Amino acid sequence: MSNTTSRPPMRVVEKRITFSRRGFLKGGGMAALGVGALSTATLMLPASEALAANFKVLGASTGKTLLQLARDIFPHDRISDRYYLQALEPLEAQAGQDERLKTLLTEGVAALDRLAKLRFKKAYTDLPKESDRLTLLYVIEHGAFFQKVKGHLVTGFYDNKAVWQLFGYEGSSWEKGGYINRGFDDIDWLDEA
């Protein structure tokens, strides 16, 4: 008698992206409505500045710096700025309720800009090289401002279910009995060399 147990076959994931005419038309219609709802001034702004305009409590300038800071703390080049904005929105809402938090964020951004101007003669968001921005972050990484933003982003960014699929994470499995029989040994995320 053998001690081996039979395993279910490995799941094969099809890599093709399929489009339907109906899905394309629906998406195109929604995009047209979205563009129609934007103002001409917003459409003329660069993407990061247009998103930073959503910061009503902290202001667009502080919002733009926080957005760049979020991208520098957790850099994912293929992830859109809008997901970083979604992670920062609750922090701004909290700042609207908590004056100390608002002060911490606005003064933290101002101090970061002063440091950038002292070292590189430009504001933090105007530094084109990521390595220059990271040099500044190493200086402030143990301060309350940096730790607050970083701590908030850990959950605000990585708990966003819309981001999960961009990373290839299928989500929680405990409700379905775990991964042992549901993809424990899937390696479809591994690129072939």
Side-chain angles (χ1 to χ4, degrees), residues 160-172:
N160 184 346
K161 290 181 181 180
V163 174
W164 291 356
Q165 57 188 289
L166 299 174
F167 291 129
Y169 176 56
E170 296 176 9
S172 177

Side-chain angles (χ1 to χ4, degrees), residues 19-36:
F19 293 101
S20 69
R21 180 176 176 267
R22 178 171 290 165
F24 176 77
L25 292 174
K26 181 179 175 185
M30 295 304 286
L33 286 173
V35 169

Side-chain angles (χ1 to χ4, degrees), residues 88-123:
L88 289 168
E89 284 172 342
L91 190 61
E92 192 204 30
Q94 289 174 3
Q97 307 280 327
D98 182 353
E99 194 61 37
R100 287 180 30 204
L101 175 61
K102 181 178 179 182
T103 301
L104 175 71
L105 296 174
T106 54
E107 288 180 2
V109 165
L112 183 59
D113 276 337
R114 279 192 305 274
L115 184 60
K117 288 176 183 174
L118 182 67
R119 290 225 178 153
F120 301 105
K121 310 290 188 245
K122 292 181 179 182

Side-chain angles (χ1 to χ4, degrees), residues 7 11 14 18 23 32 36 41-42 46-47 98 116 123 133 167 180:
R7 291 180 165 188
R11 180 175 61 104
E14 190 168 331
T18 57
T42 303
D98 182 353
R133 294 190 308 271
F167 291 129
I180 290 294

Side-chain angles (χ1 to χ4, degrees), residues 54-68:
N54 291 324
F55 287 85
K56 304 296 184 207
V57 174
L58 298 171
S61 177
T62 300
K64 182 179 175 184
T65 302
L66 287 173
L67 197 55
Q68 183 62 59

